[in-house]
């Protein structure tokens, strides 16, 4: 009888799932996974991030990334770093991912975030793959609390338009569109059927007469793509309404820093007065 009880206990123990050991040498080769990993990784766990993580024009965590070795996302250099996990994005070249997998390097590919659910999902998933679930839960709790403190949107919502180089705009089916919505604005790109994004003709922007224009960031040097931001008709439109500029580090990647972008837009309630 005792022997049967011991046997049953041993079989039950064998049936229990064994917790996977957390990776010890993690390399990120994508700007957005760089930042999620830096938010959650344990001391010494993240051994390299992409070179873009150090660029203050693109990265919201450039200062933290400067303390880590940078990589160029090449399969050969990543392999020499001897990682036991590589973090990548869907835009990472498939040949790079294929080569890494062929030589036995585990790879986790993260989808770009286009809404709050996507941001929360990627934070939770990053916590899982790094073995840092408790840290991910803490980040999510702070993020949810900050979201809950956002003021309610005025009704009706004032209307906003994103207008970047080459007249490009983004609608609600994008991360930038989520930022606009969280700030309390309706997006004219949705009125024009440009949910994910697309080209917004200057004439359509002028006729829509949004309450707020969010301009794309200018970069050093001269490019014809930026000439539209200097058009006299656009300057005339901006004379009697507020404007804002997209600061790329807060707009590119889906993480809690998007709330900085929300805070930097003019308050929707003030625009409606």
């Amino acid at each position: 009888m005792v022997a049967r009880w011991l046997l049953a206990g041993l079989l039950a123990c064998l049936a229990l799932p064994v917790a996977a050991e957390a990776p010890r040498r993690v390399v990120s080769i994508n700007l957005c996974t760089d930042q999620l990993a830096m938010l959650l990784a344990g001391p010494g766990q993240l051994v390299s991030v992409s070179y873009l993580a150090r660029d203050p024009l693109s990265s919201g965590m450039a200062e933290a990334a400067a303390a880590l070795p940078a990589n160029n996302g090449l399969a050969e250099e990543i392999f020499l770093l001897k990682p036991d996990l590589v973090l990548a994005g869907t835009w990472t070249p498939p040949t790079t991912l294929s080569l890494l997998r062929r030589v036995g390097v585990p790879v986790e590919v993260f989808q770009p975030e286009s809404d709050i659910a996507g941001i929360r999902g990627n934070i939770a998933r990053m916590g899982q793959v790094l073995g840092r679930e408790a840290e991910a839960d803490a980040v999510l709790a702070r993020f949810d609390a900050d979201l809950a403190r956002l003021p309610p949107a005025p009704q009706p919502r004032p209307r906003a338009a994103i207008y970047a180089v080459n007249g490009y705009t983004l609608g609600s089916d994008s991360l930038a569109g989520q930022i606009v919505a969280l700030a309390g604005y309706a997006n004219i790109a949705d009125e024009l059927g440009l949910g994910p994004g697309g080209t917004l003709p200057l004439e359509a922007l002028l006729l829509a007469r949004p309450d707020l224009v969010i301009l794309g960031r200018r970069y050093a040097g001269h490019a014809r793509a930026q000439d539209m931001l200097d058009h006299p008709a656009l300057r005339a439109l901006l004379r009697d309404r507020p404007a804002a500029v997209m600061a790329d580090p807060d707009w590119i990647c889906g993480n809690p820093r998007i709330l900085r972008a929300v805070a930097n837009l003019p308050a929707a309630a003030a625009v409606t007065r």
Side-chain angles (χ1 to χ4, degrees):
M1 190 72 166
V2 174
R4 289 183 180 178
W5 179 82
L6 287 173
L7 180 60
L10 287 171
L11 290 173
C13 290
L14 290 173
L16 289 174
V18 178
E21 183 179 352
R24 297 181 181 181
R25 293 185 59 81
V26 178
V27 174
S28 174
I29 58 176
N30 170 270
L31 173 63
C32 295
T33 58
D34 292 337
Q35 294 174 78
L36 286 180
M38 283 190 283
L39 277 174
L40 299 176
Q45 187 180 27
L46 185 61
V47 298
S48 180
V49 292
S50 78
Y51 71 96
L52 288 174
R54 294 181 170 187
D55 182 0
L57 295 179
S58 303
S59 172
M61 301 180 69
E63 187 173 343
L68 292 166
N71 67 74
N72 294 292
L74 302 176
E76 297 85 351
E77 69 170 326
I78 302 306
F79 177 74
L80 292 175
L81 291 172
K82 300 180 180 178
D84 50 15
L85 178 65
V86 170
L87 306 171
T90 54
W91 297 109
T92 302
T95 51
T96 299
L97 302 182
S98 177
L99 281 170
L100 290 171
R101 287 173 173 140
R102 283 173 59 188
V103 295
V105 177
V107 178
E108 290 285 345
V109 178
F110 283 71
Q111 296 284 335
E113 307 88 352
S114 61
D115 55 24
I116 298 301
I119 294 173
R120 296 188 85 264
N122 275 353
I123 292 172
R125 183 178 171 213
M126 185 64 75
Q128 291 170 353
V129 301
L130 296 181
R132 304 277 289 177
E133 290 90 344
E135 288 74 15
D137 288 344
V139 169
L140 285 170
R142 289 194 298 271
F143 184 44
D144 289 342
D146 290 340
L147 284 169
R149 282 193 287 269
L150 291 175
Q155 298 299 326
R157 288 176 178 244
R159 297 159 63 246
I162 295 173
Y163 195 70
V165 294
N166 278 328
Y168 196 76
T169 193
L170 292 156
S172 290
D173 297 336
S174 68
L175 183 61
Q178 286 287 297
I179 292 171
V180 171
L182 288 172
Y185 290 90
N187 194 327
I188 71 163
D190 300 329
E191 299 175 13
L192 300 173
L194 300 172
T199 301
L200 175 61
L202 179 57
E203 297 84 353
L205 174 66
L206 298 174
L207 289 172
R209 298 194 61 79
D211 300 293
L212 171 70
V213 179
I214 304 167
L215 298 170
R217 182 173 183 165
R218 296 173 182 272
Y219 289 89
H222 179 76
R224 292 186 63 185
Q226 295 187 153
D227 287 348
M228 300 180 76
L229 302 179
D230 294 319
H231 197 285
L234 178 59
R235 290 202 299 268
L237 177 69
L238 297 177
R239 287 192 192 113
D240 61 353
R241 69 201 63 239
V245 176
M246 286 192 291
D248 288 350
D250 297 333
W251 290 72
I252 291 177
C253 294
N255 60 55
R257 285 186 64 96
I258 68 163
L259 296 181
R260 290 167 56 101
V262 173
N264 287 332
L265 292 179
V271 171
T272 60
R273 294 191 189 114

